[in-house]
Amino acid sequence: MKQSLKKPVPDPTVRERLLTAATDLFNRKGYAGTSVREIVEAAGVTKPALYYHFESKEGVYLALFQETFAAFLATLAVPGSGAGSARERVLDLCDRAFQFSVAHLPLVRLMYAIYYGPPQGAPNFNFEASHEAVQSLIAAVVREGIESGEFKPIAVEDAMWAVVGALNIAMEVDLCHPEQSLGREGLARLLNAVFDGLATSATPLKKARKGVRP
Amino acid sequence: MKQSLKKPVPDPTVRERLLTAATDLFNRKGYAGTSVREIVEAAGVTKPALYYHFESKEGVYLALFQETFAAFLATLAVPGSGAGSARERVLDLCDRAFQFSVAHLPLVRLMYAIYYGPPQGAPNFNFEASHEAVQSLIAAVVREGIESGEFKPIAVEDAMWAVVGALNIAMEVDLCHPEQSLGREGLARLLNAVFDGLATSATPLKKARKGVRP
DNA sequence: GTCTATATTGAGATAGAC
DNA sequence: GTCTATCTCAATATAGAC
C-alpha cells in the first residue's frame, strides 16, 4: 500500500488519461454502459492503475465532477474580480465562467446527459450546488450594483436571471453548435445588450401591467 | 390499413395513453431500455394496439416529437401575435412558448435527455429545426423592432439571443426546479428587464471597448 | 480447456378472430 | 380498434464433442 491518505503527488499523466478516457466513454456509452475494462484500455493502462488512483468506477466519476467543480469555483474566485464597476465585474465573472465551460465541453456535456438522462446507477453528485454557487456569485455583484445605484432597483433575482440567461445561452450554443459559437466577444455583446436594454426608450406595455394575457 | 394520411379522428384515449406511457418510460429508462411490452402494459393495452396506431416503437417515438413540435409551432402562430409593438409581440411569443413548455415538461425533459445523452438507437429527430423555428420567429419580430426604431440598432442576432436566453432560462428553471418557477409573470419581468436594461445609464466599460480581457 | 452446436430467452412485429 | 396467439430474429447461455 504505497498510497497514504495524503496523496503523495500521484502521477498526473495516468490519472489524467483515466479521467479523460472516462469522460469520453461516459459521454458515448453512458455511465452504466461503460465498463472499467473499457476505461483502462482507452487510457492505455491496466485495471490496478485505476483502482490505485480512484477507489472504484464510482470514484472516477465523482473525482471527475468534484475536481472540475472545485477548479471552476477557483477560476471564478481569482483575484481581480473584485474591482471595477458592477457591470465590469459581472462581465468578468461571466467571461471566466464561459471560458471555463468552453475549455471543459466534454464534461459539461456529460453533466447535461447525467442531469437530464435516465438513472444509470451513477453516484449522486450535487449539480445544483455548482449552479447555485455561480448564481449566488452573480447575484451578489448584481445586488451591489443595485445598491450603489449603478443598476435599476429591480428584484435582484430578476436581474440575476437576466445575466445567467445570457451566460447560459452562450454556453449552450457553444455546447450544441460550436461552429456558431458566440465567443467571448459575443457573450460580452450579449451582456452589454442586457445591461443597456434592447429598447430605445423604457416604454413598458401600453395596456394593463398587472397580469399577463387573460 | 384503414388509417389514411388524413387521420380520420383516431380514438384519442388509447393513442394518448400510449404516448404518455412511452414518454414516461423513455424518461425513466431511456429509449433503448424501454420495451414495447412495458409501454403497452403501462398504457393498459396490448401490443397490436400500439402497432395499429403507430407502425413501430420508432413510430411512437417519432410521433411523440413530430406531433408535439407541430402543436408547438401552431401555438406560436396563433392569431393575435401579429399586433402591437415589437415588445408586446416578443412578450406574447415568449409567453406562448413558455406556457407550452410548462404544459409539456416530460417531453421537454426527454428532448434534453436524447439530445445530450448517449446514442440509444433512437431514430433521428431534427431537434435543431424546432429551435431554429422559434429563434427565427423571435428574430423576425426583433428585426422589425429595430427597423422601426423601437429597438436599438444592434445586431439582430445579439438581440435575439438576449431574448432567447431569458426564455430559455425560464424554461429550464421550470424543468429543473418547478418549485421555484418564475412563472409567466416572472418571464415577463425578465423580458422587460432585458428590454429596459439593467443599468440606470448606458455607461459601457470605462476602459478599452475592443477585445475582452487581455 | 476450447470450440461448436443447440437451447433459451426476450426483443420487435404480425395474422386473423371478434 | 382491440384482442389472442403466434412468428422471426438476435443475443446469450449452455451442453457436449474434441
Side-chain angles (χ1 to χ4, degrees):
Chain A
M1 318 314 178
K2 299 191 300 183
Q3 188 174 29
S4 75
L5 293 174
K6 299 297 183 144
K7 291 189 178 179
V9 191
D11 183 345
T13 40
V14 168
R15 189 187 164 85
E16 283 306 316
R17 286 217 305 276
L18 280 167
L19 289 175
T20 304
T23 303
D24 178 54
L25 285 165
F26 289 160
N27 263 321
R28 296 210 327 260
K29 315 184 58 174
Y31 176 80
T34 300
S35 68
V36 169
R37 183 183 56 76
E38 288 172 310
I39 298 174
V40 296
E41 281 181 2
V45 301
T46 56
K47 272 190 185 180
L50 183 147
Y51 286 99
Y52 170 80
H53 289 286
F54 312 95
E55 288 191 338
S56 60
K57 178 176 155 185
E58 292 201 351
V60 176
Y61 174 90
L62 288 175
L64 221 46
F65 285 109
Q66 283 167 354
E67 293 172 14
T68 307
F69 178 41
F72 184 49
L73 286 189
T75 297
L76 297 187
V78 95
S81 57
S85 64
R87 178 196 293 245
E88 283 172 330
R89 289 161 63 194
V90 169
L91 281 169
D92 181 62
L93 208 52
C94 291
D95 185 52
R96 291 175 198 276
F98 178 74
Q99 279 196 275
F100 190 94
S101 171
V102 171
H104 297 79
L105 278 191
L107 201 81
V108 174
R109 174 170 290 276
L110 181 58
M111 186 183 71
Y112 272 83
I114 297 284
Y115 192 82
Y116 291 107
Q120 302 184 351
N124 266 338
F125 181 79
N126 193 358
F127 295 113
E128 322 292 347
S130 77
H131 290 146
E132 284 167 14
V134 181
Q135 287 163 22
S136 67
L137 280 174
I138 292 177
V141 181
V142 165
R143 178 177 293 110
E144 292 173 17
I146 292 175
E147 289 171 354
S148 74
E150 183 182 341
F151 293 159
K152 292 171 182 163
I154 67 173
V156 174
E157 282 256 306
D158 289 343
M160 182 272 284
W161 283 126
V163 169
V164 171
L167 173 59
N168 190 62
I169 202 74
M171 286 178 173
E172 288 187 11
V173 169
D174 238 275
L175 187 59
C176 302
H177 302 283
E179 77 282 2
Q180 55 180 283
S181 166
L182 298 173
R184 297 169 66 189
E185 294 77 13
L187 174 58
R189 283 200 312 273
L190 209 52
L191 286 168
N192 275 316
V194 171
F195 286 130
D196 296 329
L198 301 184
T200 47
S201 60
T203 313
L205 296 174
K206 299 173 186 172
K207 301 185 290 187
R209 299 209 55 190
K210 49 188 168 186
V212 193
R213 299 182 313 114
Chain B
M1 316 319 179
K2 298 192 301 187
Q3 189 172 29
S4 74
L5 293 173
K6 300 296 184 135
K7 293 186 180 179
V9 192
D11 183 347
T13 41
V14 169
R15 190 186 163 87
E16 283 305 317
R17 285 217 306 276
L18 281 167
L19 290 174
T20 304
T23 304
D24 178 54
L25 285 165
F26 289 161
N27 262 321
R28 296 210 327 259
K29 315 184 56 172
Y31 176 80
T34 300
S35 69
V36 170
R37 183 183 55 78
E38 289 173 308
I39 298 174
V40 296
E41 281 182 2
V45 300
T46 56
K47 275 189 181 184
L50 184 148
Y51 287 97
Y52 171 80
H53 289 285
F54 312 95
E55 287 192 337
S56 60
K57 179 177 158 184
E58 292 201 350
V60 176
Y61 173 90
L62 288 175
L64 220 44
F65 285 109
Q66 283 168 353
E67 293 174 15
T68 306
F69 178 41
F72 184 49
L73 286 189
T75 297
L76 297 188
V78 95
S81 57
S85 64
R87 178 196 292 246
E88 282 172 328
R89 289 163 63 193
V90 169
L91 281 169
D92 181 63
L93 208 51
C94 290
D95 185 53
R96 291 175 198 276
F98 178 74
Q99 279 196 276
F100 190 93
S101 171
V102 170
H104 297 79
L105 277 191
L107 200 81
V108 175
R109 174 169 289 276
L110 181 59
M111 187 184 69
Y112 271 83
I114 296 285
Y115 193 82
Y116 291 107
Q120 302 183 350
N124 266 338
F125 181 80
N126 193 359
F127 295 113
E128 323 293 347
S130 78
H131 289 147
E132 284 167 14
V134 181
Q135 287 164 23
S136 68
L137 280 174
I138 292 177
V141 181
V142 166
R143 177 176 293 109
E144 291 172 18
I146 292 175
E147 289 172 353
S148 75
E150 183 182 342
F151 293 159
K152 292 170 182 163
I154 67 174
V156 174
E157 281 256 306
D158 288 342
M160 182 271 284
W161 283 125
V163 170
V164 171
L167 172 60
N168 191 62
I169 202 74
M171 286 178 173
E172 287 187 12
V173 169
D174 238 274
L175 187 58
C176 302
H177 303 282
E179 77 282 1
Q180 55 181 282
S181 166
L182 297 174
R184 296 169 67 189
E185 294 77 12
L187 174 59
R189 285 201 311 276
L190 209 52
L191 286 167
N192 274 316
V194 171
F195 286 130
D196 296 329
L198 301 184
T200 47
S201 60
T203 314
L205 296 175
K206 299 171 185 172
K207 301 185 292 187
R209 298 208 54 189
K210 49 189 169 188
V212 195
R213 301 181 312 114

